[in-house]
């Protein structure tokens, strides 16, 4: 009987044109396909809530705690990611797969880590994060946009949104789906070393600039629920509003210090930009190192769980800063178990560990097993992390490909950065009293002088958070155009250009220059290294100004992340320009110096006379600035100026060229 049955099956298979081996393979595939229908979290057709519920029902405590950890790439391995089900990996400032790594190198690194995550029991993909705060600033050959203070000077939220979209493309070009940006601090004291990361001292300007989130993540549909994270596809990234909250208001501008202000002041000055970010679908929020009225923000349950999550209805995940929970204690890491307890109970969902993974896992496991931290707090954190991962499609496309590699440093993005540079420049002075304005400069001249420490230094021009955490010095760490290079490509071929970083007065007098461009300012810095009590330009900046401007008509271009001491030199200067930290596209500076485009930028910050006045913001009773918030002169564009050649003599003749100067004193009164 068995023999007849077997013979009948073989005859049937033969009739169907299928071998016994093929049948086994087909049945196995069918079984897997049928089985997959019952794994809801792997089915993109299921609602996100159902997928989260299904996945979490399958997760162990160890896997949940693993999702709450973010580790640096330097300590990450495929095995660690697999064994601990690590939720996220990051590149700290300057952390790269190899020097001058190409987009493909970054992709290969990220995918290797992702392979480890996908090989874990449940195959939950990790999310790779990186600081991309003025373009994809860790990466060689990326477009470096002006720092936020310069973007604040543009007053152009639509431009900032375009920059967000361009940044997202360049980040995705390297296989990375998550950025720690934007910084929505309201810097109230320029002595703070992170002031250039703030768009303005005016919280209303900062609120407007949160449109960068729409560029980074995409525009949520009109039906999208407020507070729910949104990331619109593989050309977009998850964003991170930081640093929650009050980081720009610390006493004397000291980084990570204490912000002393009542609840009304906190909510009216520092919180509105977070409300706007949440409305726009921001995926994550990073907590500040600083304290509010003496309480560390990383341990502030009232503001993280109470206000951010419950009042503002934020549904994404809250992440700590780099070793942020360690700094809950003084000295840092003095009682790590307590730090873990305080941070998780406060409402932090993902901890940027970033090195001591096993210590974090062991301590949090102990706290849960001991019932110090309830399981529902762990579940809330993991649900929020998975919400972001599912929403952005990370489960469907966890692996990066090479389809966007040409977006890195593309000409279109460099053109956009150049536009941002020229719109960010603020003209503070144009001509001495009773004399003809100096700008726009003539492209055709006999001989011109370019001087200063910042004229031919791409690193100085870009500032901190560029290639390395603290930035770099010189022209070799990435690709871009210095201001000197831009001048050379802008002026007439017959114009002789002489460059001296620090010319002496005799040299200037003996050369009979038609005019001079002096570019000076601050060195690169980031975070605490940028805290300053004197806010002076680096030497030999002052002597360059005095030696040059005392002899020849000069325009001084200030490269800085904030207002610096300039009042002692203003009377000697013919034209003064605040260029902030413009990034890699130096042609944006010459676009306006030479009149191809007009000056249009407005001061996003009050420019003080002396540091003794600080802190001083618009609306203060002692407000007596050198240049007030919103100040900025204008010039006509070159399209309305007759092409002209000049010498030092003709430059002084009024009426040789036609232009208009408009002085606008705009005071944005903050709603305290």
């Amino acid at each position: 009987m068995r023999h007849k049955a077997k013979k009948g099956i073989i005859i049937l298979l033969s009739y169907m044109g299928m071998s016994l081996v093929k049948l086994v393979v087909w049945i196995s595939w069918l079984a897997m396909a049928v089985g997959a229908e019952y794994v809801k979290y792997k089915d993109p057709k299921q609602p996100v809530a159902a997928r989260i519920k299904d996945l979490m029902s399958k997760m162990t405590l160890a896997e949940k705690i693993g999702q709450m950890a973010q580790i640096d790439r330097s300590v990450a391995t495929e095995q660690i990611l697999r064994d601990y089900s690590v939720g996220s990996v990051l590149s700290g400032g300057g952390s790269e797969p190899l020097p001058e790594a190409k987009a493909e190198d970054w992709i290969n690194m990220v995918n290797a880590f992702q392979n480890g995550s996908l090989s874990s029991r449940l195959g939950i993909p990790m999310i790779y994060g990186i600081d991309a705060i003025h373009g994809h600033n860790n990466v060689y050959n990326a477009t470096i946009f002006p720092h936020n203070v310069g973007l604040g000077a543009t007053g152009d939220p639509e431009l900032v949104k375009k920059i967000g979209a361009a940044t997202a493309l360049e980040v995705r070009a390297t296989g990375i789906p998550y950025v720690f940006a934007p910084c929505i601090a309201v810097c109230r004291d320029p002595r703070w070393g992170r002031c250039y990361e703030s768009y303005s001292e005016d919280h209303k300007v900062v609120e407007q600039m949160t449109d960068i989130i729409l560029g980074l993540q995409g525009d949520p549909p009109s039906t999208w629920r407020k507070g729910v994270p949104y990331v619109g596809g593989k050309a977009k990234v998850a964003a991170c509003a930081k640093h929650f909250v009050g980081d720009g208001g610390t006493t004397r501008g000291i980084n990570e210090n204490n912000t002393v202000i009542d609840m009304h002041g906190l909510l009216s000055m520092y919180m509105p930009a977070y409300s706007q970010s949440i409305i726009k679908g921001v995926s994550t929020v990073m907590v500040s190192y600083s304290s509010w009225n003496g309480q560390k923000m990383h341990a502030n349950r009232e503001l993280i769980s109470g206000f951010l999550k419950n009042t503002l209805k934020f549904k994404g995940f809250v992440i700590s800063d780099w070793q942020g929970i360690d700094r809950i204690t003084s000295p840092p890491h003095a009682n790590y178990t307590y730090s873990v307890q305080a941070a998780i109970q406060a409402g932090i969902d993902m901890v940027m560990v970033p090195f001591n993974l096993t210590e974090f896992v062991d301590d949090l496991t102990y706290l849960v097993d001991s019932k110090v931290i309830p399981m529902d707090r762990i579940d809330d954190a993991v649900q929020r992390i998975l919400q972001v991962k599912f929403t952005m499609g990370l489960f469907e496309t966890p692996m990066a490909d090479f389809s966007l590699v040409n977006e890195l440093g593309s000409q279109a993005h460099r053109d956009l950065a150049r536009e941002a540079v020229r719109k960010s420049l603020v003209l503070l002075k144009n001509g001495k009293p009773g004399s003809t304005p100096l700008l726009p400069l003539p492209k055709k001249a006999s001989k011109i002088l370019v001087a200063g420490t910042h004229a031919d230094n791409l690193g100085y021009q870009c500032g901190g958070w560029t290639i390395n955490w603290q930035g770099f010095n010189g022209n070799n760490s990435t690709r871009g155009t210095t201001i000197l290079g831009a001048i050379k490509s802008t002026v007439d071929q017959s114009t002789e250009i002489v460059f001296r970083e620090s010319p002496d007065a005799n040299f200037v007098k003996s050369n009979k220059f038609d005019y001079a461009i002096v570019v000076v300012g601050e060195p690169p810095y980031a975070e605490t290294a940028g805290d300053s009590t004197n806010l002076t330009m680096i030497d030999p900046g002052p002597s360059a100004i005095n030696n040059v401007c005392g002899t020849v008509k000069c325009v001084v271009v200030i490269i800085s992340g904030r207002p610096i001491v300039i009042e002692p030199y203003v009377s000697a200067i013919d034209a003064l320009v605040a260029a902030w930290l413009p990034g890699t596209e130096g042609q944006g500076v010459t676009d306006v110096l030479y009149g191809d485009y007009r000056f249009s930028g407005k001061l996003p910050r009050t420019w003080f006379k002396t540091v003794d006045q600080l802190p001083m913001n618009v609306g203060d009773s002692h407000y007596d600035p050198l240049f007030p918030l919103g100040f900025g002169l204008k010039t006509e564009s070159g399209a309305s100026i007759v092409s002209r050649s000049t010498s030092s003599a003709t430059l002084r003749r009024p009426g040789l060229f036609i232009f208009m100067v408009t002085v606008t004193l705009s005071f944005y009164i903050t709603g305290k």
Side-chain angles (χ1 to χ4, degrees):
M1 189 70 181
R2 287 178 184 173
H3 176 73
K4 288 182 179 180
K6 183 177 179 182
K7 186 176 180 181
I9 291 172
I10 293 172
I11 291 171
L12 178 62
L13 291 173
S14 178
Y15 177 76
M16 294 172 62
M18 185 182 296
S19 69
L20 189 60
V21 174
K22 285 185 177 179
L23 177 65
V24 172
V25 172
W26 184 80
I27 291 173
S28 299
W29 177 86
L30 182 63
M32 286 190 293
V34 171
E37 291 178 9
Y38 296 97
V39 183
K40 284 186 178 181
Y41 78 86
K42 291 185 178 181
D43 182 3
K45 295 180 182 178
Q46 291 288 335
V48 168
R51 298 177 76 183
I52 293 172
K53 183 178 180 181
D54 181 61
L55 176 53
M56 290 188 65
S57 71
K58 296 173 168 60
M59 295 175 72
T60 65
L61 174 61
E63 287 166 333
K64 289 177 179 179
I65 288 175
Q67 285 299 300
M68 296 171 67
Q70 183 182 65
I71 60 175
D72 187 74
R73 58 160 291 279
S74 63
V75 298
T77 66
E78 290 185 49
Q79 182 176 348
I80 287 172
L81 291 167
R82 181 193 70 212
D83 294 349
Y84 286 88
S85 192
V86 173
S88 182
V89 181
L90 84 152
S91 279
S95 183
E96 57 189 354
L98 63 143
E100 298 187 4
K102 297 179 181 178
E104 292 86 350
D105 298 319
W106 283 91
I107 290 170
N108 291 335
M109 177 192 70
V110 173
N111 282 348
F113 289 141
Q114 194 66 280
N115 276 326
S117 294
L118 297 179
S119 66
S120 64
R121 186 178 73 91
L122 295 172
I124 304 172
M126 65 86 192
I127 183 170
Y128 200 101
I130 197 165
D131 286 285
I133 62 175
H134 62 140
H136 199 6
N137 48 261
N138 273 291
V139 178
Y140 180 80
N141 198 40
T143 308
I144 305 299
F145 293 90
H147 266 297
N148 285 356
V149 65
L151 299 183
T154 70
D156 191 342
E158 185 61 32
L159 172 66
V160 170
K161 181 180 177 181
K162 291 177 182 177
I163 289 171
T167 300
L169 278 171
E170 297 209 12
V171 171
R172 281 288 196 171
T174 58
I176 297 173
Y178 177 28
V179 299
F180 307 127
C183 177
I184 54 172
V186 183
C187 176
R188 302 290 285 176
D189 193 325
R191 292 174 292 187
W192 185 37
R194 306 193 77 157
C195 205
Y196 63 77
E197 297 183 55
S198 169
Y199 294 107
S200 177
E201 72 185 51
D202 183 351
H203 70 85
K204 294 178 183 176
V205 174
V206 179
E207 288 174 61
Q208 292 173 344
M209 295 304 167
T210 58
D211 274 5
I212 195 171
I213 292 167
L214 302 177
L216 290 165
Q217 298 192 155
D219 289 283
S222 58
T223 55
W224 201 258
R225 192 157 58 96
K226 177 191 170 184
V228 177
Y230 177 80
V231 182
K234 292 189 288 184
K236 299 297 181 180
V237 295
C240 179
K242 65 182 189 182
H243 308 83
F244 187 82
V245 61
D247 51 340
T250 59
T251 302
R252 297 187 301 279
I254 299 172
N255 191 42
E256 304 179 19
N257 200 11
N258 188 30
T259 297
V260 179
I261 193 170
D262 62 18
M263 176 62 88
H264 174 73
L266 187 79
L267 297 186
S268 61
M269 177 64 66
Y270 302 108
M271 199 67 76
Y274 286 94
S275 178
Q276 285 297 310
S277 298
I278 291 165
I279 290 170
K280 292 168 185 176
V282 73
S283 295
T284 72
V285 171
M286 184 182 292
V287 180
S288 177
Y289 287 127
S290 59
S291 301
W292 175 49
N293 295 334
Q295 183 180 8
K296 291 280 189 178
M297 276 306 308
H298 274 78
N300 195 313
R301 187 173 185 173
E302 176 189 4
L303 290 179
I304 297 173
S305 291
F307 199 85
L308 179 64
K309 291 183 174 181
N310 295 334
T311 302
L312 294 183
K313 307 298 183 186
F314 174 61
K315 301 301 182 185
F317 69 80
V318 177
I319 187 169
S320 81
D321 208 331
W322 177 279
Q323 294 180 329
I325 73 167
D326 302 51
R327 303 185 199 188
I328 290 173
T329 60
S330 183
H333 207 84
N335 185 342
Y336 194 65
T337 303
Y338 168 75
S339 291
V340 173
Q341 176 186 335
I344 302 303
Q345 286 181 332
I348 290 174
D349 305 308
M350 181 177 282
V351 173
M352 193 183 293
V353 177
F355 301 123
N356 53 316
L357 173 64
T358 55
E359 183 182 16
F360 169 75
V361 169
D362 291 346
D363 281 357
L364 185 50
T365 302
Y366 165 77
L367 290 165
V368 175
D369 287 343
S370 303
K371 313 241 183 279
V372 175
I373 294 178
M375 196 64 208
D376 61 2
R377 173 74 272 272
I378 302 298
D379 286 342
D380 172 63
V382 177
Q383 180 269 328
R384 289 168 176 275
I385 293 164
L386 295 178
Q387 174 82 45
V388 172
K389 290 184 176 183
F390 277 121
T391 299
M392 68 190 301
L394 198 57
F395 279 78
E396 284 65 63
T397 54
M399 305 297 285
D401 58 40
F402 295 160
S403 61
L404 295 175
V405 294
N406 290 331
E407 296 288 349
L408 186 68
S410 71
Q411 191 56 51
H413 295 164
R414 292 183 182 276
D415 290 344
L416 179 64
R418 181 173 177 171
E419 177 188 353
V421 173
R422 61 177 176 254
K423 289 184 175 180
S424 72
L425 300 193
V426 180
L427 182 57
L428 299 174
K429 181 180 180 180
N430 193 14
K432 294 176 181 177
S435 68
T436 302
L438 181 60
L439 300 177
L441 295 169
K443 295 179 181 179
K444 191 171 184 179
S446 176
K447 184 164 60 173
I448 65 173
L449 173 65
V450 180
T453 48
H454 291 58
D456 191 34
N457 194 313
L458 194 61
Y460 282 11
Q461 193 172 297
C462 292
W465 289 109
T466 309
I467 304 301
N468 303 306
W469 176 39
Q470 295 292 331
F472 66 94
N473 183 0
N475 297 330
N476 298 324
S477 294
T478 195
R479 187 168 69 88
T481 304
T482 67
I483 294 172
L484 175 63
I487 293 168
K488 289 179 177 178
S489 64
T490 300
V491 298
D492 190 86
Q493 290 183 345
S494 65
T495 301
E496 180 184 353
I497 302 171
V498 176
F499 172 61
R500 292 287 188 280
E501 185 172 299
S502 182
D504 60 46
N506 290 331
F507 173 82
V508 178
K509 290 176 183 177
S510 63
N511 272 275
K512 297 181 179 179
F513 294 108
D514 294 305
Y515 59 84
I517 301 172
V518 182
V519 192
V520 293
E522 295 186 298
Y525 54 80
E527 301 192 39
T528 304
D531 284 359
S532 173
T533 57
N534 54 33
L535 294 176
T536 54
M537 68 182 75
I538 58 171
D539 290 326
S543 62
I545 293 174
N546 291 330
N547 291 345
V548 174
C549 297
T551 303
V552 63
K553 283 190 176 290
C554 73
V555 53
V556 173
V557 179
I558 304 293
I559 304 293
S560 66
R562 53 199 165 186
I564 59 174
V565 174
I566 193 67
E567 195 269 342
Y569 319 108
V570 170
S571 62
I573 295 169
D574 293 278
L576 178 62
V577 176
W580 314 113
L581 298 169
T584 52
E585 306 313 300
Q587 305 99 313
V589 176
T590 52
D591 281 345
V592 287
L593 287 183
Y594 285 95
D596 292 325
Y597 294 84
R598 66 176 188 155
F599 279 90
S600 60
K602 303 291 183 185
L603 283 182
R605 309 202 49 77
T606 297
W607 205 295
F608 59 87
K609 292 176 180 176
T610 69
V611 292
D612 295 335
Q613 296 175 296
L614 300 176
M616 179 178 66
N617 297 282
V618 67
D620 289 347
S621 58
H622 67 291
Y623 197 69
D624 182 27
L626 182 62
F627 302 105
L629 177 75
F631 181 83
L633 304 173
K634 291 184 179 180
T635 55
E636 280 190 356
S637 67
S640 63
I641 300 173
V642 178
S643 177
R644 65 195 190 276
S645 65
T646 182
S647 66
S648 58
T650 60
L651 200 77
R652 286 190 279 269
R653 276 189 255 150
L656 182 63
F657 49 92
I658 301 170
F659 64 93
M660 177 173 61
V661 177
T662 303
V663 179
T664 305
L665 305 178
S666 300
F667 293 85
Y668 300 116
I669 306 300
T670 55
K672 289 188 178 180

